[in-house]
Amino acid sequence: MTVTPQEIARLAALARIPLTAAEADSLRADLDAMLAHVRTLGALAHRSARPFAGPGPDRALLRPDGGLPDPMLLSADALAPEWEDGFFLVPRLAWHTPPHVQAPGPSMVGAAVGWSAYADRTPADVGASADAAGLRPVHDTRSRPPSSDPVGRADAMDAADATPPVGSGASAEAGPDGARGGRG
Amino acid sequence: MRKGYERRTALETARAVNEGRVLPVALVVAAEAAQARWQAGPAPLGAFVSVDFGGAADRAGKLEQGLAEADPPLALAGVPVAVKDNLSTLDFATTCGSRLLEGYRPPFDATAVRKLCAAGAVVVGKTNLDEFAMGTSTEHSAFGPTRNPLDPQRVPGGSSGGSAAAVAAGIVPLALGTDTGGSVRQPAAFCGIVGFKPTYGLVSRYGLVAFASSLDTVGAMARTVGDATLLLEAIAGHDPRDGTSPERGVADLTSALGHDVRGMTIGIPREYFPASLHPGVEAACRAAIRRLEALGAKTVEVSLPHTDAALVAYQVISAAEASSNLARYDGARLGTRAGRGRTLDAVYEDTRALFGREARRRILLGTCVLSTGQAGGHHAAALRVRALVARDFESVFGKGVDALFTPTTPTPAFRLGEITDPVAMYASDAFTVGASLAGLPALSLPVGLADGLPVGGQLIGPAWSEPRLARIADALERALGAEAAA
């Protein structure tokens, strides 16, 4: 047989199909018989200047064997490109207003503040926003230099996105989810 | 004498419903009774993976209320239909004959199913198939084989074997199948019914679970050419959800019925009548050719020199596309998660261990021909041979040939378990893969018997020539029917 046991094992690994030794032997024989026919194509292919121009590209777009472009197989660095003090910096998903605190209005509360909006803020920004809401984050270890625009675009975006918080479980002591502010 | 439910055509049934002579619910009851008869006994037919006659009766009842307002009348009013279980359906699970999709309930209907229902048809169940439509005998379903209703010891063909069996048994007059390399035409031939594979792109593939995307088509299966044409007309048409569905009007297929074939030129490709052809199949097909000549058609011998290579090219291309399409069934992105793997790799492998033997064989072949380790450039070579096959057809049709006539299969239906060599099994598609590779329409109709089993004759036409194929097949069917009745 021209298909070796190593070859069948390599193909099974690429296809992520587990095979017992008996299955591998049997499928190796099948594959060998099929490839004997497949090899006859090479002698004919030169008669056509171009591959079939059907749906899709003229040639198959192939990737190298091995690593799969699987979105679930990202490294920790790819998932969390920024670190500080041994912690991941993760995007803030929401600001929360504790239910017993009277929010001053939509200017502070953004239900969907994206990472870019939050990442541009300095501790002073966060503090200013918290002050405006009558809140203080109790813990924030970020050490970025102050922004030249401490209450700039980010707050404007907050205002645009403002919606009442839903089901917040945060306490007044914890602030607007401030205990985890900037870290995960 | 009035025909019973099991012999009445879909055309007759829809007319009776539209005229208020038959209630759609009564048709569902009749279908259920027929299915029960075929499932009783020591060798059940096994045509369906799932049925829901109660739900179908509900849908038939709702349809009945709207019939009076339908203008024009619904083409398939109240007609019970079966749908191959690789077409997505809201009302039924869609398993593809695989443990990997057992119990999967799609959140939408495939476009072909949606159009079928819009035309008034009532889906009663999903039919069995080789796993992910990879097979030619319907022996490779995770839910057991389907038997041929004409001889329960024989296969119904595949992969649309469940649809073919359900129609041939009289459970439903119409069924949807899918045809990648012959999966509508070959089972139609084995079961003595009509199978109509459209030009690639005529029927939307939206909602069809992909096997080999550049070859997959949705086709019509029925007991008569007229019914198959009616069904194809109902499901054809542009669909923006399928990128390979061209924006062109739907041809009026049924108006092609009832005409003669005088003056038409039918090509007879010599490569489709090899020395190894079953003598009974050859005799039936030669008799059909003589019948076409008697009807006034001119027949000419032609050559499609790359016919042998087409089968090999098909195996390479379809396996390559299958290995790529089926990569997503890993228990994380798609498919039933099997085992209790604690890593992603373990989850993937435990899940993909659910693939049956034929699916594994084709996935490994596809992985082989696509992998950088293989030296022969098999996939690239297969794509070039595909171009040669398409050029063969273009050359013949460019010389004034209106359609080709060939046997659909080299043999009649074989026995369950008779063929275990995969290469020998693939040879069953020898005469059907050419049209698939070239994306052409083709139709199989019963033209006689060999050893008491049905023989299918195949008509192949240029792209978008479905009306012409319907016209020729209808004329031949009427002539052969008159001959049999005489």
Side-chain angles (χ1 to χ4, degrees):
Chain A
M1 280 195 276
T2 57
V3 179
T4 63
Q6 293 76 20
E7 178 68 358
I8 206 79
R10 185 184 75 88
L11 295 175
L14 280 173
R16 295 183 179 281
I17 291 182
L19 299 177
T20 64
E23 286 171 333
D25 274 351
S26 173
L27 285 167
R28 188 160 70 97
D30 291 347
L31 202 58
D32 214 51
M34 290 189 276
L35 286 175
H37 291 272
V38 170
R39 289 188 192 97
T40 63
L41 292 175
L44 288 171
H46 71 277
R47 294 184 192 173
S48 174
R50 297 187 61 195
F52 181 73
D58 277 357
R59 64 181 182 85
L61 303 174
L62 304 177
R63 62 176 168 77
D65 290 355
L68 290 169
D70 189 328
M72 299 189 70
L73 294 177
L74 296 173
S75 67
D77 283 353
L79 286 167
E82 293 193 48
W83 291 65
E84 192 171 286
D85 297 339
F87 294 98
F88 297 128
L89 297 180
V90 299
R92 176 172 293 284
L93 300 178
W95 289 101
H96 299 282
T97 302
H100 60 281
V101 173
Q102 181 73 39
S107 62
M108 175 264 157
V109 184
V113 179
W115 164 250
S116 59
Y118 185 71
D120 287 345
R121 296 179 175 199
T122 66
D125 300 335
V126 176
S129 292
D131 282 345
L135 302 168
R136 291 289 307 175
V138 295
H139 188 59
D140 193 306
T141 61
R142 299 193 307 170
S143 57
R144 295 184 183 203
S147 163
S148 60
D149 178 20
V151 284
R153 285 177 296 117
D155 280 347
M157 289 172 67
D158 289 355
D161 287 340
T163 53
V166 178
S168 169
S171 68
E173 288 72 28
D177 209 13
R180 299 195 302 277
R183 301 192 302 267
Chain B
M1 192 174 82
R2 287 180 59 190
K3 280 195 273 187
Y5 165 78
E6 294 174 27
R7 293 295 112 194
R8 197 180 288 154
T9 68
L11 273 165
E12 292 165 341
T13 299
R15 190 179 303 130
V17 169
N18 280 321
E19 292 172 359
R21 291 183 282 116
V22 173
L23 294 178
V25 173
L27 295 168
V28 174
V29 172
E32 183 175 18
Q35 158 71 357
R37 279 196 297 279
W38 281 100
Q39 283 304 103
L45 189 63
F48 288 88
V49 175
S50 58
V51 290
D52 179 11
F53 290 104
D58 289 344
R59 291 190 290 279
K62 286 178 189 153
L63 174 76
E64 196 179 316
Q65 293 164 16
L67 278 176
E69 286 81 45
D71 184 25
L74 298 175
L76 300 175
V79 177
V81 295
V83 173
K84 187 175 177 179
D85 205 20
N86 60 346
L87 286 159
S88 301
T89 42
L90 264 171
D91 294 323
F92 297 85
T94 297
T95 69
C96 292
S98 177
R99 293 279 174 219
L100 275 152
L101 286 179
E102 192 168 6
Y104 164 59
R105 183 69 73 108
F108 65 104
D109 278 329
T111 296
V113 174
R114 186 175 51 75
K115 288 192 167 196
L116 200 60
C117 296
V122 178
V123 180
V124 299
K126 301 293 291 293
T127 54
N128 202 12
L129 68 159
D130 292 296
E131 186 174 13
F132 284 101
M134 294 190 284
T136 56
S137 64
T138 317
E139 293 173 293
H140 301 293
S141 166
F143 307 108
T146 298
R147 295 173 182 275
N148 191 318
L150 305 178
D151 179 348
Q153 301 309 313
R154 292 181 186 268
V155 302
S159 63
S160 308
S163 288
V167 171
I171 299 169
V172 287
L174 302 175
L176 290 184
T178 63
D179 190 315
T180 302
S183 288
V184 159
R185 292 161 285 160
Q186 186 255 21
F190 278 11
C191 291
I193 64 166
V194 177
F196 206 159
K197 169 217 173 304
T199 304
Y200 183 87
L202 180 74
V203 178
S204 170
R205 290 181 297 116
Y206 179 72
L208 163 61
V209 179
F211 155 23
S213 306
S214 77
L215 296 157
D216 291 339
T217 58
V218 181
M221 306 180 86
R223 288 192 291 272
T224 66
V225 172
D227 276 4
T229 306
L230 180 72
L231 175 55
L232 188 58
E233 187 174 84
I235 61 174
H238 171 63
D239 181 5
R241 291 183 171 122
D242 176 357
T244 58
S245 166
E247 288 190 56
R248 50 184 296 142
V250 180
D252 180 0
L253 300 181
T254 45
S255 66
L257 303 171
H259 299 282
D260 63 36
V261 294
R262 271 177 293 188
M264 297 185 90
T265 301
I266 311 294
I268 313 297
R270 68 174 71 98
E271 292 82 4
Y272 283 66
F273 291 84
S276 58
L277 183 62
H278 186 286
V281 171
E282 174 157 16
C285 288
R286 295 284 183 200
I289 293 167
R290 288 194 294 276
R291 178 54 58 182
L292 283 168
E293 290 167 345
L295 291 171
K298 176 184 164 194
T299 60
V300 292
E301 187 178 86
V302 297
S303 176
L304 299 168
H306 298 98
T307 297
D308 285 347
L311 184 58
V312 184
Y314 168 79
Q315 289 303 330
V316 170
I317 292 166
S318 64
E321 294 184 20
S323 83
S324 181
N325 274 326
L326 299 185
R328 73 193 74 167
Y329 297 95
D330 56 18
R333 286 171 293 179
L334 265 178
T336 304
R337 181 171 300 176
R340 301 175 65 83
R342 296 177 66 85
T343 66
L344 265 180
D345 284 341
V347 167
Y348 291 164
E349 295 208 344
D350 287 348
T351 298
R352 291 172 68 77
L354 294 177
F355 278 123
R357 184 180 173 84
E358 181 60 26
R360 289 175 187 213
R361 191 184 282 138
R362 297 198 192 203
I363 290 170
L364 287 183
L365 176 62
T367 305
C368 177
V369 300
L370 289 177
S371 73
T372 49
Q374 60 93 23
H378 301 312
H379 187 243
L383 291 177
R384 288 179 183 273
V385 170
R386 185 176 184 180
L388 294 172
V389 172
R391 204 167 68 193
D392 284 353
F393 283 107
E394 283 167 21
S395 170
V396 167
F397 292 129
K399 291 174 184 163
V401 169
D402 292 302
L404 300 168
F405 181 86
T406 78
T408 308
T409 58
T411 67
F414 46 87
R415 293 181 184 281
L416 285 157
E418 180 180 337
I419 300 180
T420 53
D421 173 11
V423 175
M425 183 76 90
Y426 301 158
S428 193
D429 289 337
F431 301 153
T432 52
V433 295
S436 298
L437 287 172
L440 303 178
L443 179 154
S444 177
L445 77 161
V447 293
L449 298 174
D451 300 338
L453 297 165
V455 173
Q458 177 179 226
L459 289 159
I460 305 171
W464 318 110
S465 68
E466 281 83 359
R468 191 189 306 167
L469 294 187
R471 174 180 170 183
I472 300 168
D474 174 54
L476 180 58
E477 180 185 66
R478 280 185 279 120
L480 292 171
E483 189 177 85

